[in-house]
């Protein structure tokens, strides 16, 4: 039994609050246990210069954390004059994950910005950001269809993410901060509703791991992501066009 009472293969409680920021084309507050992230989708005409004239769209992400999202205050990166390597890595991961689910040809020459702002951090902020960002993206695209800007929702799949790890001799799903900070092995997994993996980030923080453990960790992550995909579908409503 884990410190919070969960079984090894049990997710933390997950909650989506769609349209959390009414001024954005799409938005959601995602809560995974005590981790809370506001995700917004903003649509702009035009694409980066290197894509102009291609007829294709672009989806990209930005990630940030409020100073008191953590136990001790973390100074804003804007005050330091540059983003940390961790922030840049997470932003690229969010962009890759959401582009994997989007048909950029059907989007046309538009850019969708996915801003993921962590208001409370207790482990798994990047995976929560990806999972929430998909809901924000889907809501924005649905509204573009309703407005006649797009003929249909240009999504190929849903996408969600979770963490897994090894702590002691136990394989754990959906690590909170304490578990993540103590884990011998830490892994983030991103998967689509078609069962295809976008990214598997695995690190032996304090120990190496075997191929058998790798396979078991990916399988454990898959079971959690399948739950998240279903919760996304419910958050998007009964008329959501994609099956998870």
């Amino acid at each position: 039994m884990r410190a919070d009472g969960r079984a090894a293969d049990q997710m933390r409680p997950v909650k989506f609050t769609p349209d959390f920021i009414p001024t954005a084309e799409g938005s959601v507050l995602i809560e995974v246990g005590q981790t809370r992230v506001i995700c917004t989708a903003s649509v702009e005409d035009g694409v980066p210069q290197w894509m102009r004239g291609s007829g294709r769209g672009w989806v990209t992400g930005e990630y940030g954390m409020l100073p008191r999202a953590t136990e001790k205050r973390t100074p804003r990166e804007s005050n330091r004059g540059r983003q940390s390597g961790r922030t840049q890595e997470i932003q690229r991961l969010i962009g890759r994950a959401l582009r994997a689910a989007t048909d950029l040809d059907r989007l046309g020459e538009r850019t969708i910005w996915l801003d993921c702002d962590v208001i409370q951090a207790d482990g798994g902020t990047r995976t929560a950001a990806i999972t929430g960002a998909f809901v924000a993206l889907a809501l924005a695209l649905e509204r573009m269809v309703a407005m006649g800007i797009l003929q249909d929702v240009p999504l190929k799949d849903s996408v969600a993410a979770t963490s897994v790890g090894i702590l002691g001799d136990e394989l754990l799903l959906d690590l909170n901060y304490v578990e993540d900070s103590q884990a011998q092995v830490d892994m983030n997994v991103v998967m689509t509703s078609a069962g295809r993996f976008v990214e598997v980030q695995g690190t032996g923080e304090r120990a190496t791991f075997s191929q058998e453990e790798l396979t078991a960790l990916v399988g454990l992550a898959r079971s959690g992501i399948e739950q998240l995909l279903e919760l996304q579908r419910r958050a998007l409503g009964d008329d959501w066009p994609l099956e998870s």
Side-chain angles (χ1 to χ4, degrees), residues 100-162:
T102 309
D103 189 330
L104 299 177
D105 291 317
R106 287 161 55 204
L107 179 59
E109 290 200 15
R110 301 178 181 89
T111 297
I112 299 183
W113 292 89
L114 296 166
D115 292 293
C116 302
D117 293 287
V118 180
I119 61 175
Q120 187 171 343
D122 185 30
T125 61
R126 73 184 68 194
T127 54
I130 290 167
T131 304
F134 175 79
V135 174
L137 172 64
L139 289 170
L141 293 172
E142 282 187 324
R143 292 200 172 99
M144 293 173 73
V145 171
M147 294 171 64
I149 299 171
L150 295 171
Q151 291 187 342
D152 54 19
V153 175
L155 289 173
K156 300 180 289 186
D157 287 303
S158 305
V159 67
T162 194

Side-chain angles (χ1 to χ4, degrees), residues 87-104:
T87 295
Q88 294 180 50
E89 174 204 351
I90 293 172
Q91 291 182 163
R92 289 193 290 267
L93 175 61
I94 294 168
R96 287 194 299 270
L98 275 297
R99 287 194 295 274
T102 309
D103 189 330
L104 299 177

Side-chain angles (χ1 to χ4, degrees), residues 58-70:
W58 187 244
V59 176
T60 190
E62 289 198 3
Y63 170 95
M65 188 177 293
L66 293 186
R68 281 315 302 264
T70 51

Side-chain angles (χ1 to χ4, degrees), residues 168-227:
D169 295 325
E170 204 164 22
L171 276 64
L172 302 179
L173 172 64
D174 185 23
L175 279 61
N176 62 26
Y177 174 76
V178 172
E179 293 169 338
D180 182 59
S181 64
Q182 297 176 356
Q184 291 97 319
V185 177
D186 177 24
M187 185 176 295
N188 297 300
V189 180
V190 186
M191 191 184 83
T192 71
S193 56
R196 307 283 294 181
F197 293 99
V198 179
E199 195 134 353
V200 178
Q201 299 179 335
T203 304
E205 298 282 359
R206 295 179 174 83
T208 57
F209 53 99
S210 67
Q211 182 171 332
E212 290 76 14
E213 288 171 323
L214 172 61
T215 300
L217 285 169
V218 172
L220 186 60
R222 185 185 188 114
S223 69
I225 292 172
E226 287 173 347
Q227 296 174 50

